[in-house]
Amino acid sequence: MTANRIKRLSSFVANQIAAGEVVERPASIVKELIENSLDAHARRIVLTIEQGGVKRVRVSDDGVGIHADDLQLAVCPHATSKIDAADDLEGVATLGFRGEALASIASVAKLSISTRTAVAENGSRIDVDDASEAHVGPAAHPLGTTVDVSDLFYNTPARRKFLKSERTELAHLSDIVTRLALARLDVEFEMRNGSAVQHLAPSEADGLRRVAQLLGAGFAAASVPIDEERDGLRLHGWVGLPTHSRAQADQQYFFVNGRSVKDRIVAYAVRQAYRDVLFHGRQPVFVLYLELDPRQVDVNVHPTKYEVRFRDARNVRDFVFGTLNHALRGVRPGGAPPESPRRHESVHIHDRASDHHTHAMPSLQQLMTLSSSAHELPVRETETPPYESGTRVVPPLGYAVGQLHEIFILAENAEGLVIVDMHAAHERITYEKMKAARARAQGIQQQRLLVPITMNVSPAEAEVAALNREGLAALGLDIDRSGPASLIVRGIPALLASSDAENLVTDVLTDLGTDGSTERLRHYEDDLLATMACHGSIRAHRKLTIAEMNALLREMETTENAGQCNHGRPTFVVENLRDLDQRFLRGR
Ligand code: ADP
Ligand code: MG
């Protein structure tokens, strides 16, 4: 084989290659065009699409417009009005800055721009045809800009084939538009697809209206507003109550200085804030805006700018975690509940329990030990306190009257009827007990492996394992580094004796992967305990005696966060007498 000679690519081919990074599908064009409109200070943006955006994408805005003499340049690569020098990259405040989008789009589709600035008497227009030749001429256009993109990938059939069905492209478009419309609640948006029109009015005071329009009234009703500021960082928006969680992470919106980002650091902080109230697999819903000095965040990490890099990542993570954690503590049924129409009326366990002699009540101590005998409930035949309203203090969750379908416990308290989800309640109690046991000196019991396992890992993982040796040991994991890229596992938590040690260690290391701090370890520990609690708790369809039910109720009263199971579902609800009266049309 002879060596091929090196040639410079024509700028048109170079643009097409660059376009691969920016223009993947119609939705990416819409993103670039609307971001340009927002950078141009538009107050109103109209998006028109045809055939899922493949036939046409048109974005009209009432922004500042483009100077007629700049139109040629606007479609050239690396031409931008947004930054001047490399220094400006340090504090980019606009969404765009690479000067790449229009040139990329022009290389893979037919592009025309009509525009007028405030000082120009007439509008002008540029058409970029397939030979990448551009024609500029006069055109009528109100103040602002209209960018029209048609026949996407007409000149690159191979890429056109990668486009999916119209329905799929519309789904991507809808995701992008939702992100942009959430990013800027103050800007008016209109989307037209054939005869379908969606209009989003600009929101003045209450942005929650648009959030409800885009994410459903359910989220709006089951969310808590956030607004916190510290050391130049501000976090505001809405977080869903744990009871409004979803099976998928499809309603999680995080904006950094108005830019929708998918950031690992932030995702981690959010996950940690929900960790006690949401179980594995359930996903929180949130719309959050982080604002900080643009110099504190690098947006020049990836062409699509979905990734950012924080200068002080740890501080950002702690701030996001701290703020959300605080907000979520406030909504736990045991804590101070916020006003929310969807919440069940709940008993304020902590306030009242402290007033009563709960230790005189039977306890489920044996049940909550770290042994696998957690399935066995202690039976106390003698304990059936009579319920005499008025003559004695009734505990917050009252006294059991019976069991419903072996799933719920029914109890009578001063307010009325208490319905407890037995499994959910027990799971929370077990989890809290195990956390407490871990906090005690003896820590988590370890089970030695009969045959130590040697595992091949990455050198980075081996390093993290060695670094966290002690922390892992406290968790019940005995792991030694046996080579540059291998580990030897000698013991795992006794409670997990039946689980696959290698998988367990892999998961732990994956979670520890990024920064390997002991704090990470501590958080992961809770996840492990939560898993164990779930497996160690009484299942539905178990017959309990009245004494056992009462014991569980008393235990709930003294357990932190007992109002919700680890999955974030409520563990009990109260039907008060007044409501029951109403239901039976009994006037009192
Ligand atoms: P970038 O946004 O990175 O600067 P683009 O290729 O997206 O690069 O746009 C190039 C330039 O065209 C922008 O810097 C801006 O000056 C101008 N421009 C593009 N769209 C608009 C618009 N809707 N309104 C005003 N100016 C625009
Ligand atoms: Mg741009």
Side-chain angles (χ1 to χ4, degrees):
M1 286 277 276
T2 52
N4 284 335
R5 299 301 301 274
I6 300 174
K7 304 172 281 290
R8 245 180 207 286
L9 293 174
S10 78
S11 71
F12 190 68
V13 175
N15 287 351
Q16 281 197 336
I17 292 170
E21 291 182 52
V22 185
V23 187
E24 205 187 336
R25 55 179 7 130
S28 29
I29 294 178
V30 166
K31 173 177 183 287
E32 295 296 336
L33 298 187
I34 293 183
E35 286 188 348
N36 279 345
S37 297
L38 292 172
D39 281 345
H41 307 288
R43 305 305 307 157
R44 175 178 152 80
I45 297 172
V46 180
L47 165 68
T48 309
I49 51 179
E50 287 173 26
Q51 289 178 19
V54 179
K55 182 78 202 121
R56 160 159 285 117
V57 164
R58 185 168 54 221
V59 172
S60 277
D61 67 51
D62 58 355
V64 297
I66 304 173
H67 202 287
D69 297 342
D70 284 352
L71 272 176
Q72 287 274 9
L73 209 49
V75 298
C76 289
H78 316 301
T80 178
S81 59
K82 299 170 192 176
I83 57 171
D84 277 329
D87 279 0
D88 294 350
L89 272 178
E90 294 286 301
V92 178
T94 50
L95 295 166
F97 56 86
R98 290 167 175 267
E100 238 169 30
L102 292 181
S104 294
I105 293 168
S107 74
V108 293
K110 294 172 184 163
L111 172 76
S112 78
I113 305 173
S114 306
T115 184
R116 186 168 72 76
T117 63
V119 293
E121 277 177 24
N122 300 304
S124 42
R125 172 184 174 115
I126 185 169
D127 291 278
V128 190
D129 63 25
D130 54 357
S132 82
E133 267 180 35
H135 307 281
V136 181
H141 197 277
L143 175 60
T145 306
T146 296
V147 180
D148 194 301
V149 179
S150 56
D151 297 331
L152 179 59
F153 298 146
Y154 73 98
N155 55 358
T156 49
R159 296 196 52 199
R160 199 180 172 110
K161 279 200 204 102
F162 278 99
L163 290 174
K164 298 286 192 299
S165 67
E166 179 174 344
R167 181 199 293 255
T168 306
E169 296 307 330
L170 281 173
H172 285 283
L173 279 165
S174 150
D175 177 55
I176 287 287
V177 171
T178 300
R179 281 178 198 284
L180 291 161
L182 286 175
R184 289 297 299 276
L185 300 170
D186 56 324
V187 175
E188 180 179 356
F189 285 86
E190 193 170 302
M191 276 76 68
R192 298 183 189 152
N193 178 25
S195 58
V197 179
Q198 188 185 16
H199 180 252
L200 298 168
S203 60
E204 274 83 48
D206 190 13
L208 196 54
R209 241 188 71 209
R210 175 174 296 183
V211 172
Q213 228 176 328
L214 292 168
L215 305 187
F219 170 62
S223 64
V224 190
I226 301 274
D227 198 349
E228 197 74 40
E229 212 164 343
R230 198 193 75 198
D231 311 333
L233 297 173
R234 178 175 175 224
L235 184 70
H236 60 108
W238 300 269
V239 293
L241 290 171
T243 42
H244 186 70
S245 64
R246 291 169 71 85
Q248 263 154 43
D250 58 347
Q251 289 198 351
Q252 304 188 341
Y253 299 92
F254 200 91
F255 303 92
V256 176
N257 290 344
R259 188 188 303 280
S260 173
V261 304
K262 294 166 179 161
D263 183 72
R264 242 172 3 91
I265 304 275
V266 166
Y268 178 77
V270 173
R271 205 153 19 95
Q272 291 313 323
Y274 274 93
R275 89 196 130 102
D276 263 11
V277 287
L278 220 53
F279 201 56
H280 292 297
R282 292 303 291 178
Q283 299 288 344
V285 178
F286 53 85
V287 178
L288 288 168
Y289 305 85
L290 178 69
E291 273 149 39
L292 73 172
D293 184 336
R295 282 169 304 191
Q296 291 299 312
V297 53
D298 183 3
V299 290
N300 192 18
V301 181
H302 191 269
T304 61
K305 310 179 197 87
Y306 275 124
E307 285 170 45
V308 294
R309 208 167 282 145
F310 296 107
R311 200 134 294 175
D312 190 350
R314 183 169 295 259
N315 192 35
V316 167
R317 187 190 63 192
D318 291 351
F319 174 65
V320 172
F321 169 74
T323 304
L324 298 188
N325 192 41
H326 181 78
L328 290 169
R329 277 203 183 279
V331 304
R332 284 169 193 172
E339 279 82 61
S340 169
R342 274 197 65 216
R343 286 176 43 75
H344 294 285
E345 182 165 355
S346 62
V347 175
H348 296 229
I349 295 172
H350 297 307
D351 307 348
R352 299 207 205 163
S354 52
D355 295 338
H356 303 309
H357 302 282
T358 41
H359 49 261
M361 301 291 181
S363 106
L364 288 190
Q365 214 69 28
Q366 295 117 291
L367 185 67
M368 311 310 163
T369 56
L370 280 174
S371 77
S372 53
S373 67
H375 297 275
E376 298 311 313
L377 284 159
V379 181
R380 290 161 196 266
E381 297 297 354
T382 52
E383 194 272 330
T384 314
Y387 171 66
E388 302 160 35
S389 180
T391 59
R392 55 182 288 159
V393 184
V394 183
L397 292 177
Y399 295 118
V401 290
Q403 215 177 353
L404 187 69
H405 284 253
E406 294 169 10
I407 297 171
F408 300 105
I409 294 171
L410 306 182
E412 180 181 11
N413 74 355
E415 275 153 278
L417 173 68
V418 182
I419 306 173
V420 175
D421 179 334
M422 205 164 97
H423 173 70
H426 192 217
E427 184 178 315
R428 168 58 74 178
I429 292 170
T430 309
Y431 174 51
E432 296 293 340
K433 290 279 171 188
M434 290 199 302
K435 280 209 296 194
R438 179 193 53 200
R440 288 196 292 269
Q442 63 267 38
I444 290 180
Q445 242 187 313
Q446 195 192 96
Q447 165 100 45
R448 309 287 297 169
L449 294 177
L450 239 48
V451 184
I453 297 172
T454 303
M455 286 176 65
N456 293 322
V457 294
S458 73
E461 284 173 328
E463 183 67 31
V464 165
L467 211 74
N468 284 284
R469 213 201 159 280
E470 268 172 42
L472 290 169
L475 191 75
L477 287 166
D478 183 348
I479 305 175
D480 267 319
R481 190 175 188 168
S482 56
S486 62
L487 298 173
I488 184 154
V489 185
R490 293 205 175 81
I492 60 173
L495 268 156
L496 302 181
S498 58
S499 53
D500 181 330
E502 194 161 337
N503 276 342
L504 178 72
V505 172
T506 305
D507 285 355
V508 172
L509 290 179
T510 305
D511 206 65
L512 286 174
T514 37
D515 68 5
S517 72
T518 47
E519 190 188 348
R520 233 169 210 284
L521 185 72
R522 197 169 58 77
H523 292 322
Y524 191 74
E525 225 175 1
D526 283 346
D527 286 348
L528 278 182
L529 294 185
T531 310
M532 296 188 256
C534 184
H535 294 293
S537 298
I538 36 170
R539 299 277 142 198
H541 308 300
R542 242 207 78 181
K543 234 180 180 44
L544 300 184
T545 66
I546 293 286
E548 287 172 325
M549 294 180 220
N550 279 322
L552 190 65
L553 295 174
R554 300 294 78 79
E555 204 65 39
M556 284 173 73
E557 286 162 355
T558 52
T559 300
E560 225 189 306
N561 299 324
Q564 282 174 1
C565 77
N566 304 339
H567 305 261
R569 293 190 294 265
T571 54
F572 68 91
V573 297
V574 178
E575 290 284 331
N576 68 33
L577 283 178
R578 226 175 325 109
D579 292 347
L580 288 172
D581 281 345
Q582 256 172 16
R583 204 172 297 178
F584 290 98
L585 309 173
R586 265 173 54 131
R588 265 201 190 176

